[in-house]
Amino acid sequence: MRLMVLLALVPLSGCATAVLLPADSGSEFSPIDFFENSSRGVGTFHRVFAAPARLEVASTGTRRPNGELVLTQRIRQGGDAPRTRTWTIRPVGPNRYTGTLTEAVGPVHITTDGPRASVHYAMKDGLTVRQQLALQSDGTLLNHLEVRKWGLRVARVNERIRKLP
């Protein structure tokens, strides 16, 4: 039975090649600077065997004196009740950050390269998350996130995030 489920998921999983989002090559992305204060994201959540759902994320980030960012997000996904999650992000070296996320089991790892950031973390039930953020010339941020189980993509998010004044 498990084999049948895995074989059914293979065509839906997409290829393992990472997506490379377009980005403003003249910019340097800092997750702490971008997410300090307020931002809003709108996108689509895709899950295997389910219809796509609208995703709305309202974020508020507070920088602590030690340079760490605490980011609280209120998430509305389709018709589900809103939920809240909290990130902590702190620099650990040039272009490298680490932190926590209420949904993650273990640390969150973030690396930046010019206008892009890669985010990696594990969740319960053997799920892994890989996320790419790409700063755009208009100041918005593209977000592409993939959730995998047993190496197969089981969900993805495509979102545009804008920093509020």
Side-chain angles (χ1 to χ4, degrees), residues 18-142:
V19 170
L20 184 63
L21 295 172
D24 179 14
S25 61
S27 297
E28 291 288 321
F29 176 67
S30 163
I32 292 177
D33 290 343
F34 185 89
F35 287 107
E36 186 177 17
N37 298 316
S38 297
S39 60
R40 297 290 181 270
V42 175
T44 306
F45 176 76
H46 302 267
R47 182 176 35 210
V48 293
F49 306 124
R54 180 175 171 85
L55 179 70
E56 298 176 25
V57 181
S59 301
T60 303
T62 304
R63 191 184 309 231
R64 292 183 172 163
N66 66 358
E68 179 179 77
L69 181 78
V70 176
L71 180 66
T72 303
Q73 296 181 310
R74 183 171 170 86
I75 302 164
R76 297 187 64 93
Q77 185 175 309
D80 295 347
R83 60 187 168 86
T84 301
R85 69 180 180 187
T86 302
W87 298 75
T88 60
I89 302 169
R90 69 180 180 283
V92 292
N95 305 320
R96 293 184 315 116
Y97 303 80
T98 191
T100 62
L101 172 61
T102 51
E103 298 171 343
V105 292
V108 172
H109 301 284
I110 304 169
T111 56
T112 60
D113 183 13
R116 292 186 181 85
S118 296
V119 182
H120 306 245
Y121 57 91
M123 297 173 67
K124 65 181 178 177
D125 299 326
L127 299 171
T128 58
V129 176
R130 292 194 176 272
Q131 181 176 8
Q132 185 183 146
L133 302 168
L135 193 58
Q136 304 300 292
S137 59
D138 65 358
T140 62
L141 190 66
L142 295 182

